[in-house]
Amino acid sequence: MDVFQILLNGVVLGALYACIAIGFSLVWGVLNVINMLHGSFIILGGYLTYFAWHFTGIYPILILPFVALVLFVLGYILQHLFINKVVTSPVLTTLTLTFGLDMILYNLMTVYFTATPRRVTLDLGSISIGDIFLPVDRLLGMALALILTGLLYLVMRGSRIGRAIVAVRMDRQAAALMGIRVNHVYAVTFGIGALMAGAAGAIFAMVFPVTTNLTGVFLGKAFVVCVIGGLGSVPGALVGGLALGLIESVAGYTIGPQNAITVGFLLMLFLLVVRPTGLIGVKGYE
């Protein structure tokens, strides 16, 4: 029963990790931009969900689409006004720019929201089958994370903007010659990345407390998931997230929760050496 409990906890955690990392992976794979804002976007989504629920009493699942829309608009504006100006510059330039923007957003959230941990308390009880025990809010969070991941996959595979994003990712110049507005696609892609980050933050706030002190933690998780699964693809983020969740769950049980994060980073370093494209990544997107 301990084995089933550990695996179930790992799958739940992995689904949340996949949702956290998928927007980061998309932006990095398509724009070749390491978005240092990603962790702050996640926390902003969590805070907006908490305060909307706290002051209005609206069920957080109903708030989630509005939070995602706000983050999409914010991401689109930031990309269109700032990042598009240097998107073809070396990675260090865009990394420095997003780091500066992250510092601004982080400090604004710390000043106006404070760093006090906050959580949407749903009090949905728990499910137990024999010795296996799992809170319903975590199952709900896993379900929402998988639904959002699936919806993004359908958008990328079946919509016009999804095909445009894939085309720009494959060959920017050829896409421009075919009439695709590359800068607009870049802004939409960054907006989708922010949308997924905000939605992930909203889901995370239903399961665990959120605080601005976690921005770096979430950014680190996104890095690890991208390296494990592979850049720029929805399946890669899902595989990487589930792998990291299972590894941390097993490691936390066997060698202690304080060492679980270290094991995840060690796996990332190992894959960087033996398979830079990740488990299901594509060559050229290391």
Side-chain angles (χ1 to χ4, degrees), residues 25 153 169 225-243 271 275-283 285:
S25 175
Y153 179 77
R169 174 191 172 186
V225 170
C226 288
V227 172
I228 294 175
L231 281 178
S233 72
V234 176
L238 183 59
V239 169
L242 291 174
L271 285 175
R275 190 176 174 82
T277 57
L279 294 177
I280 61 173
V282 179
K283 188 175 181 180
Y285 294 95

Side-chain angles (χ1 to χ4, degrees), residues 152-168 175 178-181 184-185 188-189 192:
L152 180 59
Y153 179 77
L154 293 176
V155 168
M156 295 296 294
R157 291 293 296 266
S159 69
R160 184 174 181 181
I161 187 62
R163 291 192 294 270
I165 290 172
V166 173
V168 171
M178 295 299 293
I180 296 175
R181 294 185 296 160
H184 172 69
V185 170
V188 170
T189 303
I192 292 174

